[in-house]
Amino acid sequence: MSSEKSAIYDDDAFFNNYINLRNAESNYNDLIEQPIVFELIGNVKDKAVMDIGCGYGAMTIKIANSGAKYVLGIDSSKKMIQKGMLENSHENITYKVLPAEQIASSIHEKFDLIVSCLAIHYVEDFQKLFSDIYNLLEQNGNFIFSMEHPMYTASKFPQQWVTEPSDNTVTGFVTDHYGDEGLRNISWLGKQVKKYHHKIDTIFNALIEAGFILEKVIEPSPSADLMKKVPKTIHELHRPAYLIVKSRKG
Ligand SMILES: C[S@@+](CC[C@H](N)C(=O)[O-])C[C@H]1O[C@@H](n2cnc3c(N)ncnc32)[C@H](O)[C@@H]1O
């Protein structure tokens, strides 16, 4: 049931490259993104949780191990879900191949928390997605997500740092076409990948119109410690790679 747009994660070569990237010691998911999302999630004891675009369950298993009573991990990629079932299984986790676009018609239960890590930039229609998520939350339930930052998704060209010609020092990041929302075909991990660029106002207005109350917005910058440990992260000061939001069903 992989949706055509995100079927790239079911391509063998792309999948292997992605797993190698995640296994690398200096991967930004583990260094930057996942710790922030996990901290925002807070106490999950006895909560019912859905993880949208759960991949192979990196966050899903952390939530289950922290005492959630039930975690539903959904992802459009069969290969991701298979790996999750093999490597990140837990008696309180159910993994299911399901695109985020189909949650309204396929899921008939409610959640105390819905989480999504670096998956929703593959979804075109945020108004529908956020309304669907709102409807699947209990009152006061949280929706916490990370996505590629709009400054990161803006360019219609291969992602590119601005560099000083004399010595290649990185002095910025190219954000052409920021105001032109929609499909981006980018080259990543040796393949062409389709994702969607949404502007900051589109993202927040879609949340507000769905009924969400904003609780926290984070555009992570590398800490001094991280820049010392992994020097290339200093470039992240030129633009955030991620946008991380905690919102609540009001
Ligand atoms: C960068 S990975 C992140 C995986 C996981 N959330 C994590 O942080 O480890 C993006 C995931 O989003 C999934 N994905 C892409 N488009 C999707 C869609 N329309 N519905 C559900 N999952 C989708 C991909 O299959 C992939 O597993």
Side-chain angles (χ1 to χ4, degrees), residues 113-158:
L113 168 67
I114 297 182
V115 175
S116 182
C117 296
L118 296 180
I120 64 170
H121 45 267
Y122 296 108
V123 176
E124 181 171 18
D125 185 349
F126 273 13
Q127 194 63 73
K128 175 172 169 18
L129 178 69
F130 293 167
S131 293
D132 290 349
I133 289 172
Y134 189 90
N135 292 335
L136 288 171
L137 277 170
E138 299 283 5
Q139 199 61 28
N140 287 319
N142 282 114
F143 170 38
I144 299 171
F145 65 90
S146 62
M147 60 182 286
E148 289 185 358
H149 194 282
M151 285 180 75
Y152 189 81
T153 55
S155 181
K156 289 194 174 178
F157 302 105

Side-chain angles (χ1 to χ4, degrees), residues 1 29 39 50 98 110 113 129 136 188 200 203 210 243:
M1 205 200 272
N29 303 67
E39 197 180 328
M50 174 158 63
L98 182 72
K110 292 223 170 176
L113 168 67
L129 178 69
L136 288 171
W188 188 44
I200 282 277
I203 298 164
L243 173 67

Side-chain angles (χ1 to χ4, degrees), residues 69 101 155:
K69 69 173 176 208
E101 291 85 346
S155 181

Side-chain angles (χ1 to χ4, degrees), residues 74-130:
I74 65 153
D75 198 286
S76 54
S77 157
K78 268 190 204 150
K79 286 177 86 73
M80 283 288 195
I81 290 293
Q82 275 162 4
K83 187 173 167 71
M85 289 166 85
L86 265 177
E87 296 177 8
N88 285 318
S89 69
H90 187 288
E91 58 184 352
N92 294 352
I93 298 181
T94 300
Y95 287 108
K96 194 174 165 135
V97 179
L98 182 72
E101 291 85 346
Q102 292 177 19
I103 53 175
S105 54
S106 305
I107 297 178
H108 308 288
E109 59 203 300
K110 292 223 170 176
F111 300 90
D112 304 302
L113 168 67
I114 297 182
V115 175
S116 182
C117 296
L118 296 180
I120 64 170
H121 45 267
Y122 296 108
V123 176
E124 181 171 18
D125 185 349
F126 273 13
Q127 194 63 73
K128 175 172 169 18
L129 178 69
F130 293 167

